[in-house]
Amino acid sequence: MANVTVIGAQWGDEGKGKIVDWLASRADAVVRFQGGHNAGHTLVIDGNVFKLSLLPSGIVSGTLSIIGNGVVLDPWALKAEVEKLEGQGVTITADNLAIADNCPLILPIHRDLDGLREAAAGSGKIGTTGRGIGPAYEDKVGRRAIRVCDLAHLDHLEPQLDRLCAHHDALRAGFDQPPVDREALLEELRGIADFVLQYAQPVWKRLKKVRKAGAKILFEGAQGVLLDIDHGTYPFVTSSNTVSGTAAAGSGLGPNSTGYVLGIVKAYTTRVGSGPFPTELEDDIGKGIGERGHEFGTVTGRQRRVGWFDAVIVRQSCSISGVTGIALTKIDVLDGLDEVKICTGYRLRGNVYDYFPSHAADQADVEPIYETMDGWKESTAGARSFADLPANAVKYIQRVQELIETPVALVSTSPERDDTILMRDPFLD
């Protein structure tokens, strides 16, 4: 049995939540390995809707769910999410939720700084969620972060607070804000410490035990490869590495443990916030796809931008992240269109590109080269076998996998967990 690593192969919002939930029902442990509560997964199970931002998707099915050290943790957001899910009947205990004790914390001062920067950025806005993720990662790299394990030693936090406040007080002064109220911050940490510490442990050790027992581990990525801090559309990216290789560093298991890499790919393209988007549709077709696909961010509620499927960026993502196979989601949203288009390359200043260039100005200026295919009038919604799909939908799927040079392992035909066509089982690879 192989372990499975799930990542988004576009700009996030590809429908990872449903796929991870579907796989989690067959896994023994689910691990979040990067990002924060800026990620959002929506699960629909027997008509019940669960919206997750920080907790691994396996928590809903009772699967052991682990938040790895590569995640930045907002303890107050964690508490709110746990309480919300418990109100929906989900059982969450120290038996099925574990949090890495070396996770850095997102603090109120990180949220403050995030908002101040975006407000002052003018036309240079990146479009962050304002939840403090970027500043928290900065403090982690700057070696001034307060971590989960520090919550058990709050009476000895002065040296870390000195380093933290020396940095933030200078930044806050630049925004005409008062210095950090250290006592107020400590009081807030004291108020949340016991709640977080009940789940805290060295998760690398827990995972080692799970793996030694031969259990199946599912690594759950957040956002998408095109938002990766190194490989994405910089600077319009997230603050962590979203590629599959991060699963090892962000969980405490070696790179040989990540197994089959499943890239989640929407049958069209969307992105939230600012940044280049070559195939963006700003016409009635794009509006219609967005409405049928309910394209609003799970975390922010912001309307997503919508465009045709871009085979260039997906092929690039699959290559960079070592994707073994893809899960194609939301094929049903394209039902009823007279024709569908796929971007197969770009034109830029008289040259043809088969990849997405790195410079932001080049990314903004590329013109998509399209291949047009006949659409299908029949419904794909709820199909659970390839034989149930219209012929033109099958041709579209086959063309997608040819262009991205990566096989389709499964196709999702609705938000419901069981409306999935399985061509290749990632756990049996």
Side-chain angles (χ1 to χ4, degrees):
M1 290 283 186
N3 294 331
V4 177
T5 299
V6 173
I7 59 162
Q10 292 161 306
W11 277 289
D13 308 307
E14 301 96 348
K16 292 187 294 296
K18 172 201 164 163
I19 302 300
V20 170
D21 175 62
W22 183 79
L23 290 167
S25 65
R26 301 160 62 237
D28 300 295
V30 182
V31 185
R32 271 284 308 273
F33 56 86
Q34 49 77 218
H37 63 307
N38 55 340
H41 293 158
T42 300
L43 313 183
V44 182
I45 304 170
D46 297 327
N48 296 312
V49 179
F50 301 90
K51 292 184 180 292
L52 308 179
S53 295
L54 184 58
L55 293 170
S57 297
I59 199 72
V60 175
S61 58
T63 306
L64 172 61
S65 297
I66 293 174
I67 296 176
N69 57 276
V71 172
V72 284
L73 182 86
D74 183 321
W76 299 276
L78 172 74
K79 187 172 189 289
E81 191 168 322
V82 167
E83 290 174 347
K84 181 180 178 182
L85 287 177
E86 286 178 335
Q88 291 183 273
V90 178
T91 300
I92 301 174
T93 69
D95 291 327
N96 64 0
L97 176 62
I99 299 173
D101 57 4
N102 53 345
C103 258
L105 297 179
I106 299 174
L107 306 172
I109 58 176
H110 294 133
R111 296 195 298 270
D112 292 346
L113 182 57
D114 207 349
L116 290 167
R117 282 174 170 169
E118 280 290 279
S123 61
K125 278 186 173 62
I126 292 172
T128 77
T129 59
R131 283 163 167 74
I133 279 78
Y137 272 117
E138 290 175 35
D139 281 349
K140 172 185 176 178
V141 175
R143 295 167 293 183
R144 53 184 171 264
I146 295 173
R147 303 185 299 169
V148 168
C149 56
D150 294 320
L151 294 174
H153 303 275
L154 292 177
D155 291 336
H156 305 283
L157 205 61
E158 288 303 316
Q160 284 156 276
L161 283 175
D162 287 344
R163 289 196 300 273
L164 185 72
C165 293
H167 177 76
H168 280 269
D169 286 349
L171 291 174
R172 292 169 69 90
F175 288 107
D176 198 27
Q177 297 295 308
V180 175
D181 187 333
R182 293 167 66 138
E183 284 306 312
L185 176 58
L186 275 170
E187 278 306 303
E188 288 190 85
L189 290 172
R190 288 190 183 101
I192 199 70
D194 287 344
F195 177 84
V196 178
L197 288 172
Q198 66 181 312
Y199 306 111
Q201 59 187 273
V203 299
W204 65 267
K205 191 173 180 181
R206 181 82 174 266
L207 282 169
K208 180 181 178 182
K209 184 178 179 180
V210 168
R211 192 179 181 211
K212 194 172 182 179
K216 299 187 293 293
I217 302 172
L218 179 63
F219 297 92
E220 176 185 7
Q223 291 96 27
V225 174
L226 291 166
L227 293 175
D228 184 277
I229 188 67
D230 287 308
H231 301 288
T233 49
Y234 193 90
F236 303 101
V237 292
T238 194
S239 299
S240 61
N241 286 111
T242 61
V243 294
S244 61
T246 313
S251 66
L253 281 178
N256 62 342
S257 63
T258 52
Y260 187 106
V261 179
L262 183 68
I264 313 301
V265 178
K266 201 173 286 185
Y268 47 100
T269 311
T270 63
R271 81 170 296 173
V272 173
S274 306
F277 188 173
T279 66
E280 184 170 11
L281 291 168
E282 299 182 271
D283 56 12
D284 289 341
I285 294 175
K287 183 180 178 182
I289 292 173
E291 289 174 350
R292 288 195 300 275
H294 306 290
E295 295 298 349
F296 295 91
T298 301
V299 169
T300 63
R302 288 183 291 180
Q303 186 169 359
R304 296 174 186 142
R305 299 154 65 190
V306 175
W308 292 119
F309 186 85
D310 191 332
V312 182
I313 60 171
V314 174
R315 182 172 63 240
Q316 188 163 323
S317 293
C318 288
S319 178
I320 288 168
S321 210
V323 172
T324 316
I326 70 162
L328 193 67
T329 67
K330 291 198 167 186
I331 189 72
D332 53 301
V333 176
L334 300 181
D335 292 353
L337 293 175
D338 293 324
E339 61 182 29
V340 288
K341 294 183 179 182
I342 301 175
C343 174
T344 60
Y346 306 124
R347 288 191 180 90
L348 177 63
R349 292 187 286 276
N351 297 314
V352 174
Y353 284 69
D354 63 355
Y355 66 95
F356 205 31
S358 296
H359 196 275
D362 291 340
Q363 292 176 349
D365 289 344
V366 296
E367 297 179 9
I369 300 169
Y370 286 119
E371 180 177 304
T372 302
M373 301 180 68
D374 291 333
W376 53 92
K377 298 299 182 182
E378 308 94 323
S379 174
T380 64
R384 297 186 180 183
S385 75
F386 228 58
D388 295 334
L389 294 176
N392 284 345
V394 172
K395 290 178 183 177
Y396 181 77
I397 294 168
Q398 290 174 334
R399 186 58 178 146
V400 163
Q401 69 179 356
E402 288 171 2
L403 289 169
I404 67 173
E405 299 172 1
T406 307
V408 175
L410 56 93
V411 179
S412 170
T413 59
S414 93
E416 287 286 349
R417 176 195 287 174
D418 293 330
D419 290 342
T420 304
I421 302 169
L422 181 65
M423 272 95 80
R424 186 176 181 181
D425 189 336
F427 276 123
L428 294 178
D429 186 74

